[in-house]
Amino acid sequence: MTNTEDRWAGERLMESHFHPRQAALNLRDAWSSWNGYKFANYYYDAEYEYFCIRNSCGTYDICPMQKYEITGPDAEAMLNRMVTRNIANLKENRVTYVCWCTDEGRMIDDGTIFKLGPEKFMLTCGSPCLAWLRKSAFGFGDVTITDMSDETAALSFQGPASCEVLKKLGLEGIETAKPFDIMHFPFQGGSGKELMVSRTGFTGDLGYELWIAPELALDLWDALYDAGDDYGIHPYGEVATNMARLEAGFIMPDMEFSEALKTIHFQHDQTPFELNLGWLVDFKKPHFNGRRALLQDRDKGPAYKLTKLDIEGNKVAEGAYLYSNRRCTQEIGYITSAMWSPVVKANIALAMIKPEYLEGDIWAEIYYQKELRQYSKVAKCTVKNKPFWRPARARATPPPGL
Amino acid sequence: MKQYDAIIIGAGHNGLTNAAYLAKAGLDVIVVEKNDYIGGAAVSRELHEGWIYSNCSYVCSMMRQALHRDLNLTRHGLVLVPYLGTVGFGDGDRPLISYHNADASYLELRRHSPHDADSMFRFQADLARYAQLIRKTLLRTPPDPTSFRPRDIQEMLFLAKQFWMLGEREIYEYMRFFTMSAAEFLDDYFENDLIKAAMASPAVIGTALGVYSPGSAYILLHHVMGDVDGNIGAWGLARGGMGAISTALAGALQEHGGEIRTNAGVERILVKGGKAIGVALEDGEEISARIVVSNLDAKRTFTQIIDKDDLPPGIYDKAKNFKIRGSSGKLNIALSGLPKFTGVPDNRYINRGGQLFAGSLETMERAYDCWKRGRWSDDPFIESVIPSAWDPTVAPPGKHWMAAFVQYCPSKLADGPWTPEKRDQFGQTVIDKIERYSPGFKDLIVHMEVRTPHEIEAEIGLTEGNIFQGELTLDQLLFNRPFPGYAQYRMPIKNMYMCGSSTHPGGGVSSACGANAAREILLDLKLPNTVPEDDCYDE
Ligand SMILES: Cc1cc2nc3c(=O)[nH]c(=O)nc-3n(C[C@H](O)[C@H](O)[C@H](O)COP(=O)(O)OP(=O)(O)OC[C@H]3O[C@@H](n4cnc5c(N)ncnc54)[C@H](O)[C@@H]3O)c2cc1C
């Protein structure tokens, strides 16, 4: 063994296509991991980075997200059989949000499908899904599934200034992209390579996702950071994403749901109805995976229902149990994610609550710490039907100025 | 003639807050404002195309989060955003950098003084303890210590309990703290001149006291008792400028059916049989209402818009002698690029946040000496922020604006009245000083708004240009604000109230005065209270 060999190589995480730039900006060395990639928790200050999403603009590395290309004459039928939503009407250069379930109707994962051509789709999701895709293709003759995860560089670019910056980057007409639209641009003139931009994201704000060949990743980064310099562009990581998505009311695996294929106990995973994703389930389309079980679940009503809560006071209700009475004797559910929302100035949470209790009082028993001492309080919760944060600019086309 | 339930005189942020809570209770309210814009000292205006200045207040920390939340100010367009690092410039070469990260800040302090770096922990804990106590009083009506009404006794007990919880030793310390000078207070912790000067800076802002004047320690506390999302002492920016706060409050008011009239200066509060019955506008129009609320400072309210004969004996003199000495100037400077500061690394988190041109306690005291002699300081203390580096909406991309707050600048000059020439000379003194620390700064200037106490009074009616609507010294705080016996927002004329910063808890963009006054008014009208409790009690 020569001494230049890295003896820890087998233990090291992979580095994303944007890693050299991101590592230079990660002043706090705050790394975690996602799907085997080294992945930033935050770079400088998590809350500051969260505010870039709400106030200026920021980039979030989605290289570690899983991306599969599904092509062939049967691609659409196969996907439509796998996911609960009807994608038959999905137009070319459009994206749609989907989820897919086991035969028992339990949710495996959620993700997005990009229709890139009549017989060409891209599926993106948080966790590896190749095995399930292969299983789902069983019986479909002409489908090719290619894992593109490591061969695509992708950067989420979110925030009120994002459209302005993309315009400055030279993406002509980007302001005409509607939510879930896909546009293609030549990247840096005649290189022959293209930059794909979708108006998608996980922040509930104005934002885009940029898709490019790995060899152009750093060029894209540099050009984007150049264009964004006067607009406060900044990378953000896991912590800021988690804050933004909770304000938007989006669910997160391992927070709101347990991926069904990884769950040991049969009651510990969820159906789309429990997660408020009933609108993704289309019983009118031809057969799809989990259909029978989901029909039953719909008619019987879910055991729990994902609910948005506004909680009095400012003590974050992380991990709190919920009760129907102030004395906390009748348990009715539990908090899945909670935070103080700096932009809305509210104490917000997502919770799983037994539906029969949704009309009555809801109280959270919150534990918190002050200088090593434990305190608890019981706080009244109010059910919210709309996302906590949903600015008009997230939907407007063209987006308004800054 | 239509009779409103309430007229609020002045669309300062406190007037708007007060009106919003009265409207929320179902009252028919109108706010009348002399200017053609709302907001008073919480205002943003585009004086140079593309640049939106926060003309007076420019940073936010005191705004009561509970009110922001309750009035849905975010839905009405208000978003508070952070700015990072601050740099303190001393008389020597090496500035003191305050990083956004605790470890980095500690290391920087240690480079200046290992002793002070260590002492800073105790200083922060002590200040936080004082702040926690005073914070609990912000959204409460001060009790009248001479009264035996159950509510006053209950409130006195609340205060006593909060004090008691500090522990015996701290009770003495706290009493001392209220009357101490900032310099004495800081001497107990720090040895380094620049660190002391930087820590003393909040103690001089807006006040006609010097760092060695008794009472200045409290001013320091007043500036660190606010918070951003629970981080006590932190300051942030209102996206789009401080006017966004007033606009959002106006939105909340209108949502509840309230009206606002601009270009409607009040000439006189109409009083009949010892009761306020409405107002007469400058153009002669009269508006009648069951109650009248003044957002103006106490001196202005009682010496300018009420007939002396309508007042019970003594009040006029109290108002005349109300301590409201102007001491601050402000420059809003449009810049063609980002200034560079000597000795500050090209670190984007710290080279564009806030700057303190503090010098030393000695420099600050000399600046105060000038004020005492009726001159503006020739080597002024300046606190500046570059909001455009953090908020992309207030200047064109790549361009910037700097808010520079200046101590000291008197409202009356020893050598005769303020003139535009003198104002510009004052402005020149300020940018000369900045240029010393940022060579080339002056070449970046594309437009500048220079405000002395004279302009501040003329434009928004803060008497003598005092930014707090009255000095924040113990004789004018809590149950003494504005006058002993009148600290519960009810004024000596029946059906008349005050809701501006002249009342408890004093100056700053907090909305607390307006909300507290609304609670008292609703109590008198026997209507359910619409004002929420503060959310700081279990801190
Ligand atoms: C230069 C400057 C910088 C400051 N910086 C900060 C800061 O950074 N952060 C902070 O928290 N605080 C700051 N302050 C203090 C803060 O802005 C004020 O304490 C606060 O805004 C006062 O609000 P208010 O509603 O009580 O009164 P005001 O804002 O004074 O409102 C009074 C209103 O009444 C109107 N008015 C006056 N006379 C009449 C009349 N006759 N008829 C009708 N209307 C009338 C005025 O036009 C005004 O709109 C600053 C103040 C100044 C002046």
Side-chain angles (χ1 to χ4, degrees):
Chain A
M1 183 165 122
T2 67
N3 55 8
T4 54
E5 215 168 283
D6 177 4
R7 66 173 112 167
W8 313 117
E11 303 226 25
R12 284 193 201 282
L13 294 166
M14 286 189 292
E15 291 177 353
S16 124
H17 304 299
F18 298 109
H19 185 76
R21 299 294 182 272
Q22 297 184 144
L25 291 171
N26 198 325
L27 280 185
R28 309 290 180 226
D29 286 324
W31 298 104
S32 63
S33 64
W34 180 15
N35 289 338
Y37 279 92
K38 195 166 183 178
F39 190 72
N41 253 328
Y42 59 97
Y43 291 82
Y44 186 78
D45 178 78
E47 189 157 306
Y48 174 67
E49 288 153 24
Y50 151 86
F51 268 112
C52 291
I53 303 172
R54 297 294 181 231
N55 172 44
S56 51
C57 57
T59 63
Y60 176 69
D61 187 0
I62 46 174
C63 290
M65 191 167 73
Q66 302 297 289
K67 308 157 198 87
Y68 302 94
E69 199 177 85
I70 295 127
T71 53
D74 286 341
E76 182 184 296
M78 173 248 146
L79 284 171
N80 224 9
R81 166 76 207 263
M82 178 175 123
V83 305
T84 61
R85 195 171 193 180
N86 191 357
I87 63 154
N89 303 323
L90 184 63
K91 298 213 169 58
E92 212 171 302
N93 286 319
R94 290 282 296 164
V95 185
T96 191
Y97 174 56
V98 296
C99 69
W100 49 100
C101 297
T102 61
D103 285 344
E104 293 74 34
R106 320 301 288 186
M107 203 162 101
I108 295 173
D109 206 350
D110 62 349
T112 48
I113 291 178
F114 290 57
K115 184 161 182 177
L116 301 173
E119 298 180 358
K120 186 175 173 191
F121 296 85
M122 178 170 76
L123 174 84
T124 74
C125 52
S127 297
C129 187
L130 187 63
W132 189 258
L133 278 167
R134 290 252 181 93
K135 235 189 217 329
S136 306
F138 189 74
F140 289 93
D142 213 346
V143 191
T144 313
I145 298 165
T146 321
D147 185 348
M148 302 292 293
S149 304
D150 299 338
E151 280 81 54
T152 313
L155 197 59
S156 187
F157 181 49
Q158 306 280 308
S162 55
C163 184
E164 284 299 310
V165 172
L166 292 181
K167 276 198 255 175
K168 217 179 145 198
L169 186 65
L171 306 192
E172 240 169 86
I174 186 66
E175 67 281 359
T176 63
K178 293 198 248 340
F180 294 105
D181 271 357
I182 299 170
M183 290 178 89
H184 305 264
F185 300 91
F187 184 63
Q188 296 194 329
S191 72
K193 299 275 179 171
E194 67 155 33
L195 169 67
M196 182 170 95
V197 181
S198 54
R199 189 167 163 190
T200 46
F202 197 46
T203 60
D205 219 304
L206 175 63
Y208 302 83
E209 286 169 332
L210 315 179
W211 313 80
I212 202 157
E215 62 272 22
L216 294 176
L218 296 182
D219 288 345
L220 171 65
W221 180 283
D222 294 341
L224 186 68
Y225 271 70
D226 233 26
D229 192 43
D230 288 336
Y231 298 84
I233 191 169
H234 197 282
Y236 64 93
E238 190 53 39
V239 184
T241 299
N242 198 22
M243 293 170 77
R245 70 90 198 173
L246 172 48
E247 288 177 337
F250 297 152
I251 57 170
M252 190 83 133
D254 284 342
M255 305 280 289
E256 278 65 41
F257 72 99
S258 305
E259 297 168 32
L261 297 179
K262 301 179 185 167
T263 309
I264 297 169
H265 191 287
F266 78 104
Q267 281 174 325
H268 288 178
D269 49 19
Q270 288 76 20
T271 71
F273 292 105
E274 288 182 324
L275 294 163
N276 253 340
L277 297 179
W279 58 283
L280 291 186
V281 184
D282 187 347
F283 290 114
K284 287 195 221 96
K285 74 169 185 173
H287 190 72
F288 59 92
N289 221 54
R291 184 172 193 277
R292 194 171 320 129
L294 286 171
L295 258 178
Q296 247 177 31
D297 192 58
R298 182 196 68 182
D299 296 342
K300 193 169 80 192
Y304 282 92
K305 195 145 185 91
L306 183 75
T307 308
K308 292 181 269 294
L309 295 179
D310 185 330
I311 303 172
E312 71 176 356
N314 56 25
K315 296 292 174 229
V316 174
E318 203 157 358
Y321 286 103
L322 300 172
Y323 299 88
S324 64
N325 56 347
R326 192 177 202 148
R327 284 182 302 121
C328 299
T329 51
Q330 176 66 54
E331 199 186 307
I332 60 171
Y334 56 95
I335 298 280
T336 57
S337 311
M339 71 184 275
W340 173 258
S341 162
V343 63
V344 190
K345 297 276 177 272
N347 193 15
I348 63 173
L350 294 178
M352 289 300 243
I353 302 179
K354 294 178 186 154
E356 60 269 32
Y357 291 100
L358 280 173
E359 298 298 320
D361 279 3
I362 300 172
W363 297 88
E365 188 178 26
I366 302 171
Y367 287 83
Y368 60 99
Q369 222 193 38
K370 285 197 283 188
E371 300 181 318
L372 301 183
R373 293 283 291 272
Q374 288 286 349
Y375 293 80
S376 72
K377 73 179 277 184
V378 178
K380 185 151 188 133
C381 308
T382 312
V383 173
K384 291 275 161 189
N385 293 317
K386 295 222 179 80
F388 304 105
W389 175 253
R390 197 163 74 132
R393 64 179 174 239
R395 282 155 294 145
T397 310
L402 302 171
Chain B
M1 191 170 95
K2 167 164 184 175
Q3 194 196 34
Y4 287 90
D5 291 326
I7 296 177
I8 289 85
I9 310 170
H13 83 284
N14 274 315
L16 294 167
T17 305
N18 183 263
Y21 277 110
L22 297 183
K24 197 177 172 198
L27 297 188
D28 189 6
V29 302
I30 182 167
V31 180
V32 287
E33 164 61 47
K34 77 175 175 71
N35 288 325
D36 61 3
Y37 51 86
I38 61 163
V43 67
S44 308
R45 294 167 70 203
E46 186 172 359
L47 298 185
H48 186 67
E49 203 190 328
W51 273 265
I52 295 169
Y53 297 150
S54 291
N55 306 74
C56 292
S57 59
Y58 52 105
V59 285
C60 181
S61 164
M62 297 183 186
M63 186 69 200
R64 300 321 298 148
Q65 181 173 283
L67 304 178
H68 182 150
R69 181 179 187 180
D70 181 68
L71 289 175
N72 286 316
L73 297 188
T74 300
R75 189 153 48 71
H76 292 291
L78 177 59
V79 172
L80 302 179
V81 299
Y83 69 94
L84 305 181
T86 297
V87 182
F89 296 96
D91 294 330
D93 296 336
R94 204 152 55 89
L96 174 72
I97 298 171
S98 152
Y99 292 95
H100 195 64
N101 171 273
D103 287 310
S105 260
Y106 169 73
L107 292 174
E108 168 72 357
L109 284 170
R110 216 171 58 170
R111 288 188 278 270
H112 286 263
S113 158
H115 168 274
D116 291 2
D118 184 353
S119 227
M120 185 61 83
F121 294 107
R122 181 169 65 97
F123 177 72
Q124 298 291 9
D126 288 351
L127 260 193
R129 190 175 318 114
Y130 297 154
Q132 273 183 1
L133 184 122
I134 199 83
R135 283 162 65 76
K136 291 184 180 140
T137 69
L138 300 179
L139 267 191
R140 301 180 89 92
T141 300
D144 180 347
T146 65
S147 143
F148 290 105
R149 283 182 312 165
R151 195 157 159 260
D152 287 307
I153 292 172
Q154 206 184 322
E155 280 295 304
M156 280 305 279
L157 286 175
F158 172 82
L159 278 185
K161 185 173 160 222
Q162 300 306 318
F163 256 105
W164 197 246
M165 277 161 46
L166 289 175
E168 192 178 346
R169 189 183 74 95
E170 290 301 330
I171 296 175
Y172 293 120
E173 288 299 318
Y174 208 85
M175 296 314 287
R176 249 160 52 86
F177 181 80
F178 262 90
T179 48
M180 250 181 163
S181 77
E184 286 166 319
F185 177 58
L186 292 165
D187 275 341
D188 191 32
Y189 300 89
F190 304 118
E191 59 178 23
N192 178 285
D193 277 349
L194 180 51
I195 293 177
K196 277 195 221 176
M199 294 302 118
S201 64
V204 296
I205 289 190
T207 179
L209 300 173
V211 283
Y212 292 99
S213 315
S216 53
Y218 173 76
I219 314 282
L220 194 161
L221 181 61
H222 193 82
H223 282 116
V224 301
M225 72 188 178
D227 70 286
V228 177
D229 297 314
N231 299 316
I232 299 181
W235 287 81
L237 302 166
R239 190 170 197 265
M242 293 298 274
I245 296 177
S246 305
T247 312
L249 286 164
L253 166 62
Q254 281 152 351
E255 174 192 337
H256 293 296
E259 275 175 58
I260 301 174
R261 260 171 76 178
T262 49
N263 288 316
V266 167
E267 175 82 33
R268 210 148 266 343
I269 295 180
L270 302 171
V271 179
K272 202 168 160 190
K275 286 185 189 160
I277 56 160
V279 298
L281 300 184
E282 278 156 7
D283 64 7
E285 187 190 342
E286 294 191 355
I287 307 177
S288 71
R290 285 159 68 197
I291 58 169
V292 176
V293 189
S294 172
N295 182 195
L296 278 49
D297 66 64
K299 187 161 183 173
R300 213 169 197 74
T301 302
F302 291 104
T303 66
Q304 294 199 9
I305 60 163
I306 296 186
D307 204 326
K308 200 174 165 184
D309 298 336
D310 286 331
L311 288 170
I315 295 298
Y316 182 86
D317 291 322
K318 272 195 176 126
K320 206 174 75 180
N321 297 329
F322 184 61
K323 219 161 53 184
I324 185 160
R325 308 168 298 188
S327 64
S328 318
K330 167 103 188 286
L331 267 63
N332 298 307
I333 311 169
L335 300 166
S336 60
L338 201 62
K340 287 195 172 54
F341 298 97
T342 313
V344 179
D346 182 24
N347 166 339
R348 65 178 300 125
Y349 306 106
I350 55 156
N351 68 2
R352 60 188 71 187
Q355 301 81 34
L356 299 171
F357 302 92
S360 60
L361 294 182
E362 214 28 62
T363 325
M364 289 160 91
E365 186 66 3
R366 268 185 273 118
Y368 180 49
D369 290 339
C370 293
W371 179 87
K372 285 187 272 183
R373 301 201 175 87
R375 294 189 280 118
W376 64 79
S377 309
D378 39 25
D379 187 8
F381 164 76
I382 307 166
E383 184 201 75
S384 55
V385 175
I386 306 177
S388 51
W390 311 94
D391 171 359
T393 68
V394 290
K399 314 274 191 242
H400 290 281
W401 82 275
M402 180 193 246
F405 188 93
V406 190
Q407 288 296 122
Y408 296 81
C409 186
S411 64
K412 288 184 201 70
L413 292 171
D415 66 355
W418 277 100
T419 61
E421 293 71 39
K422 289 182 191 170
R423 179 198 61 207
D424 292 345
Q425 281 167 29
F426 162 71
Q428 198 60 40
T429 309
V430 176
I431 56 173
D432 283 346
K433 175 151 183 177
I434 299 176
E435 173 88 17
R436 256 169 42 210
Y437 296 90
S438 175
F441 179 81
K442 286 198 231 172
D443 300 333
L444 298 174
I445 299 175
V446 292
H447 178 265
M448 194 157 84
E449 180 192 22
V450 181
R451 326 194 80 196
T452 72
H454 176 74
E455 280 78 31
I456 294 173
E457 170 155 16
E459 285 171 29
I460 44 173
L462 286 164
T463 302
E464 294 188 32
N466 182 292
I467 75 164
F468 300 130
Q469 284 202 356
E471 192 67 86
L472 297 172
T473 45
L474 192 53
D475 55 322
Q476 296 192 160
L477 281 174
L478 279 164
F479 36 73
N480 291 332
R481 193 168 184 86
F483 322 125
Y486 295 100
Q488 298 183 333
Y489 308 91
R490 295 172 189 81
M491 289 303 127
I493 298 172
K494 217 171 155 2
N495 298 343
M496 188 203 148
Y497 299 81
M498 273 179 64
C499 73
S501 300
S502 273
T503 61
H504 170 78
V509 180
S510 69
S511 280
C513 310
N516 286 342
R519 191 179 47 240
E520 295 305 310
I521 293 167
L522 294 173
L523 191 71
D524 288 355
L525 296 177
K526 301 197 166 54
L527 288 172
N529 177 28
T530 49
V531 181
E533 278 210 349
D534 210 331
D535 65 357
C536 68
Y537 297 119
D538 43 29
E539 257 164 26

